[in-house]
Amino acid sequence: MSRKLRWGVLGAAGIAVKKVIPGMRQSRLCEVAAIASRDPEKAAAAAAQLDIPAYYGSYEAMLKDPDIDVIYNPLPNHLHVPWSIKALEAGKHVLCEKPLGLSSEEIRSLIAVRNRTGLQAGEAFMVKTHPQWVRVKDLVDSGQLGRLRAVECWFSYDNRDPQNVRNVAEYGGGGLMDIGCYPIFIARLLFGEEPVRAKGALEFDPVFKTDRLASAVLEFPSGHCAFTCSTQIAPAQRVVAICEQARIEVEIPFNAPPERACRIFVDPGSDLAGGSRQEETFPACDQYGIQADEFTRAVLGEREVPVPLENSLGTMAVIEQLRAGA
Ligand SMILES: NC(=O)c1ccc[n+]([C@@H]2O[C@H](COP(=O)([O-])OP(=O)(O)OC[C@H]3O[C@@H](n4cnc5c(N)ncnc54)[C@H](OP(=O)(O)O)[C@@H]3O)[C@@H](O)[C@H]2O)c1
């Protein structure tokens, strides 16, 4: 295909307007051709601000646009599967934000529609294609640090706004769904396995009824992952992957900033004060732009979908186990 693939954005969501669309502006393979909002004025303002040629005052209207090839779905979690299904039924490929659905059953219903329509669909775990994670995965898989045995993660922020979609239980809010999904995804990626057991402790906000502090241990055939995530403590994020001969630390594992280089550290631990630590840097890049290009390549048949829906089922299965156990 000689022209760029034309993407339409479903909703003037914060993540779309602040991160994903700006990241896609550098894309070689695709362009944001339209944005839709429930509010026409909001759609017009976002289109003007981000130099998007077309806007729509309803999601349905954009799905009818025959010139749109791919839909990016950054709606609140409870609308991920319903609107991704509508987009597929309208003949569009779909990249949908994480977490893909509210339950495994819901994700299976999306898989059925993808299979019937023959279109491409994937979950927007942008970390998967960031060069720092491609490198960490390669390092682990190479075996040069010995076998991976443990993954330690934390991810937190402080957001007590009752209007925020993360704090609305019926929208699929809560820390586990919003950010706990990242450690689960990363541990499954690095081990290359599914956990055989997952146990955790969840503390719920008494008003929002969403989990505000969650800690879990995932037992994989090859090792363990432990993580804590929270929506009501100081912002922090880190991943440490511990192999038999060295540990790998990812400094900014999830919200890698586009304007500065990222770092990972590989440390055999022979000097506990950090003297044996080796640093690797990755030139500044935009993980959302890379994500859009890689998904576009999948649509063009040049690669597999970076995070296919079957993978999303694995993440959801862990969330469901942790909820059931708590
Ligand atoms: N991958 C990442 O780095 C990342 C980062 C942040 C968030 N996310 C994901 O992106 C999604 C959106 O998060 P966000 O922070 O961007 O949320 P947000 O700013 O609240 O945006 C959600 C958008 O959904 C639309 N919407 C439709 N029905 C709605 C309803 N009943 N209530 C609220 N909004 C509704 C609204 O667009 P209109 O008013 O224009 O129709 C709204 O702007 C979530 O699934 C989240 O997990 C991913």
Side-chain angles (χ1 to χ4, degrees):
M1 186 179 284
S2 53
R3 70 169 173 87
K4 285 183 170 180
L5 241 65
R6 295 164 61 87
W7 287 49
V9 177
L10 211 52
I15 180 62
V17 171
K18 292 183 207 143
K19 306 274 186 188
V20 175
I21 299 172
M24 288 179 69
R25 292 172 78 120
Q26 312 301 323
S27 170
R28 294 174 295 114
L29 303 173
C30 55
E31 61 186 311
V32 178
I35 186 162
S37 170
R38 297 164 300 169
D39 172 355
E41 283 181 19
K42 195 173 161 192
Q49 180 199 332
L50 295 157
D51 211 12
I52 301 171
Y55 66 87
Y56 292 97
S58 79
Y59 304 155
E60 290 86 353
M62 190 175 71
L63 293 187
K64 285 189 190 141
D65 181 341
D67 290 335
I68 298 296
D69 306 300
V70 181
I71 293 294
Y72 165 59
N73 179 352
L75 295 174
N77 300 341
H78 69 304
L79 300 177
H80 284 177
V81 168
W83 279 97
S84 294
I85 287 180
K86 286 183 206 218
L88 288 169
E89 297 285 12
K92 318 293 187 196
H93 306 280
V94 181
L95 178 67
C96 181
E97 267 305 337
K98 43 52 64 179
L100 186 68
L102 300 180
S103 67
S104 299
E105 193 187 348
E106 207 193 15
I107 293 173
R108 280 195 203 94
S109 71
L110 181 60
I111 290 176
V113 178
R114 180 208 58 191
N115 290 348
R116 175 162 52 73
T117 56
L119 294 159
Q120 298 290 9
E123 187 174 16
F125 267 120
M126 69 297 176
V127 287
K128 169 94 187 277
T129 43
H130 189 292
Q132 69 176 356
W133 280 112
V134 174
R135 170 65 177 151
V136 173
K137 174 72 177 148
D138 282 350
L139 253 180
V140 167
D141 285 355
S142 74
Q144 66 193 87
L145 306 179
R147 287 169 62 224
L148 175 67
R149 300 289 286 134
V151 177
E152 301 277 332
C153 313
W154 67 86
F155 195 178
S156 58
Y157 54 74
D158 192 354
N159 181 334
R160 299 167 201 234
D161 173 7
Q163 306 298 326
N164 192 283
V165 292
R166 291 157 186 76
N167 293 325
V168 182
E170 54 276 27
Y171 289 2
L176 203 48
M177 286 284 273
D178 191 43
I179 48 178
C181 59
Y182 284 97
I184 296 168
F185 175 78
I186 284 297
R188 294 174 50 247
L189 175 73
L190 295 184
F191 279 115
E193 297 169 337
E194 298 300 330
V196 290
R197 238 182 315 275
K199 285 192 177 158
L202 305 188
E203 181 190 289
F204 289 84
D205 182 283
V207 176
F208 303 150
K209 312 290 183 208
T210 51
D211 60 282
R212 63 181 179 188
L213 180 65
S215 301
V217 175
L218 316 187
E219 207 179 318
F220 288 84
S222 304
H224 294 170
C225 165
F227 75 84
T228 291
C229 66
S230 175
T231 59
Q232 293 183 12
I233 58 175
Q237 52 184 273
R238 191 58 64 96
V239 172
V240 186
I242 309 168
C243 301
E244 288 168 317
Q245 286 146 31
R247 74 174 191 277
I248 309 167
E249 222 168 308
V250 183
E251 186 181 35
I252 310 180
F254 307 122
N255 298 122
E259 70 283 354
R260 50 158 282 191
C262 285
R263 301 192 297 177
I264 66 168
F265 308 108
V266 180
D267 193 342
S270 45
D271 177 357
L272 291 176
S276 52
R277 187 174 101 161
Q278 289 187 342
E279 182 180 312
E280 288 188 27
T281 57
F282 300 84
C285 67
D286 192 304
Q287 59 183 346
Y288 300 102
I290 295 172
Q291 167 178 260
D293 271 344
E294 293 305 309
F295 187 76
T296 299
R297 287 184 57 221
V299 168
L300 298 174
E302 294 175 5
R303 60 161 293 164
E304 297 292 310
V305 169
V307 184
L309 308 184
E310 286 73 9
N311 189 291
S312 315
L313 272 179
T315 302
M316 184 50 66
V318 176
I319 292 175
E320 286 173 336
Q321 270 188 65
L322 294 175
R323 281 175 170 166

